[in-house]
Amino acid sequence: MDTGLTAEEWQAVRLSLDVALRSVAVSLLPAIGVALLLARGRFPGRSLLDALVHLPLVVPPVVTGWLLLLLFGVRGPIGAPLHDWFGIRLVFSTGGAALATAVMSFPLIVRSVRLGLEGVDPGLEAAARTLGAGRLDRFLTVTLPLMAPGILAGAVTAFAAGLGEFGAVITFASNIPGETQTLPLAIYSATQTPGGEAMAARLAILSFGLAIGGLLLAEFIARRMHLLLGRG
């Protein structure tokens, strides 16, 4: 069946899905840890950490990409050891595109997980403690299942947002077809190409559909999980 997309366009779609999925895989566990720290922790500098975590939401994505370039470039304080010692080069690579996307979507997961965690009734954890459950047992059997809707909704929302990330990716990973040219970058390239309006329109419609589908899926998962846990 003819889908109307060329091989190059499908390549951009597949790369976008790959980058978004890898970005969520990279950021999910750290985001859960940070959300726990911000929701339950009481320590000096907590407000500063909260601000730093949400910084990618308020600064221009190009600035985030530029900072990543300084840190993870082949001469950067993190990128140089990775390249020299392990042969890992993130800049201008698919891995770099996933890293930039992960940084941009990280606050979305943290916010969602934190909201889910703040909705957990402390009385349930206290009851488990009186029954002899240790801290790890309480987390695995009480806290984690109750915050699961926030985790899943945050992961799906971050995935959907990752499909549309542009500024940080193009700054840090560039716009290399087959390597870092995700769907938004392919749309940008099409708009800069004479006669590329039809391609841009096809990809824009597809991007819109994927974003809407991701957001609807996040809402569906959250509602289903709340119902399963008896909180809907």
Side-chain angles (χ1 to χ4, degrees):
M1 182 176 62
D2 184 12
T3 59
L5 297 179
T6 66
E8 180 184 357
E9 293 166 356
W10 272 119
Q11 187 178 55
V13 173
R14 287 193 295 268
L15 186 61
S16 291
L17 294 172
D18 179 48
V19 166
L21 184 61
R22 289 168 66 176
S23 71
V24 173
V26 166
S27 59
L28 184 59
L29 287 180
I32 293 173
V34 170
L36 284 166
L37 193 61
L38 291 175
R40 299 289 177 85
R42 295 294 181 269
F43 54 91
R46 178 171 170 270
S47 297
L48 178 59
L49 176 61
D50 192 13
L52 290 175
V53 166
H54 292 88
L55 203 58
L57 294 178
V58 295
V59 301
V62 173
V63 174
T64 301
W66 176 71
L67 291 174
L68 289 174
L69 197 58
L70 292 179
L71 293 173
F72 290 93
V74 292
R75 297 183 179 178
I78 301 176
L82 287 176
H83 183 265
D84 296 339
W85 300 346
F86 305 104
I88 298 174
R89 180 179 62 84
L90 291 173
V91 65
F92 308 138
S93 69
T94 305
L99 174 63
T101 303
V103 170
M104 293 301 300
S105 59
F106 186 80
L108 299 176
I109 304 179
V110 172
R111 287 174 65 87
S112 181
V113 174
R114 187 175 177 181
L115 287 174
L117 184 60
E118 290 174 347
V120 174
D121 184 0
L124 296 175
E125 296 173 309
R129 183 171 58 249
T130 60
L131 293 174
R135 177 172 297 182
L136 181 60
D137 287 337
R138 294 198 305 272
F139 176 76
L140 294 177
T141 61
V142 178
T143 309
L144 185 60
L146 292 176
M147 62 189 285
I151 295 174
L152 291 175
V156 176
T157 302
F159 177 81
L163 292 174
E165 180 51 43
F166 177 83
V169 172
I170 198 171
T171 305
F172 180 59
S174 190
N175 186 9
I176 307 171
E179 184 73 23
T180 65
Q181 190 180 77
T182 56
L183 195 53
L185 273 62
I187 295 172
Y188 172 77
S189 295
T191 62
Q192 303 301 307
T193 304
E197 293 82 3
M199 176 181 175
R202 289 194 301 271
L203 294 178
I205 292 172
L206 181 58
S207 180
F208 180 80
L210 288 172
I212 290 294
L215 293 174
L216 290 176
L217 180 59
E219 179 66 18
F220 174 78
I221 288 175
R223 288 181 179 274
R224 290 295 298 175
M225 290 297 294
H226 278 293
L227 289 174
L228 289 173
L229 293 172
R231 298 169 60 197

